Amino acid sequence: MLDIFCKIVAGEIPAHKVYEDDKYLAFLEINPIRLGHTILIPKEHYSTVYEIPDGLYAEYFLKAKELSTAVKTAAGAEKCGLVVAGFDLDHAHIHLLPMDTTEDIDFHNQHEETQANLATMADKIRGLVAA
């Protein structure tokens, strides 16, 4: 049975994609802590980041670093936090969180976001990634 992230990769579930290549996919969290909250996943299924082969592991975190600037800028944030929690889903993923304070990294502050706001933010991030 495919997890939700594998279904997004397969195109079975829609997502507001901000970056995609042959190995990785980044998309907006639909229940963000703050608008711009982005999830970066490897397209190949690994249960946790620690299962990712060493060569890809470094590349994966470098991709997160690359995307962090676009997320921070698009959200108008001072910083972009990186969280690897791994409790909520059985698929390796990194949260890229636009932050101005430590409250912007509190998962208890997640909220539902409108599709229109998500689409606008995805466009902003995509435009900055390509720049």
Side-chain angles (χ1 to χ4, degrees), residues 83-127:
V83 173
V84 177
F87 288 107
D88 46 349
L89 290 166
D90 183 40
H91 193 118
H93 61 287
I94 296 173
H95 295 266
L96 299 169
L97 299 161
M99 300 175 56
D100 290 318
T101 72
T102 55
E103 290 179 12
D104 292 327
I105 205 163
D106 184 349
F107 283 85
H108 292 102
N109 291 334
Q110 284 186 273
H111 64 280
E112 189 172 341
E113 192 53 73
T114 68
Q115 292 297 311
N117 285 345
L118 290 169
T120 299
M121 180 57 68
D123 285 342
K124 286 183 185 179
I125 294 172
R126 275 193 304 272

Side-chain angles (χ1 to χ4, degrees), residues 6-64:
C6 287
K7 289 179 180 181
I8 290 171
V9 169
E12 296 174 18
I13 296 176
H16 292 278
K17 298 176 183 179
V18 300
Y19 176 82
E20 183 172 14
D21 64 21
D22 59 331
K23 296 178 191 171
Y24 308 107
L25 175 62
F27 51 91
L28 293 181
E29 166 67 64
I30 60 171
N31 295 305
I33 296 171
R34 176 174 169 174
L35 189 58
H37 179 170
T38 300
I39 306 293
L40 175 63
I41 63 170
K43 286 184 167 181
E44 186 171 337
H45 181 86
Y46 301 99
S47 290
T48 70
V49 296
Y50 304 113
E51 291 180 4
I52 298 172
D54 291 349
L56 290 178
Y57 184 86
E59 183 180 271
Y60 182 45
F61 277 85
L62 287 171
K63 185 58 63 183

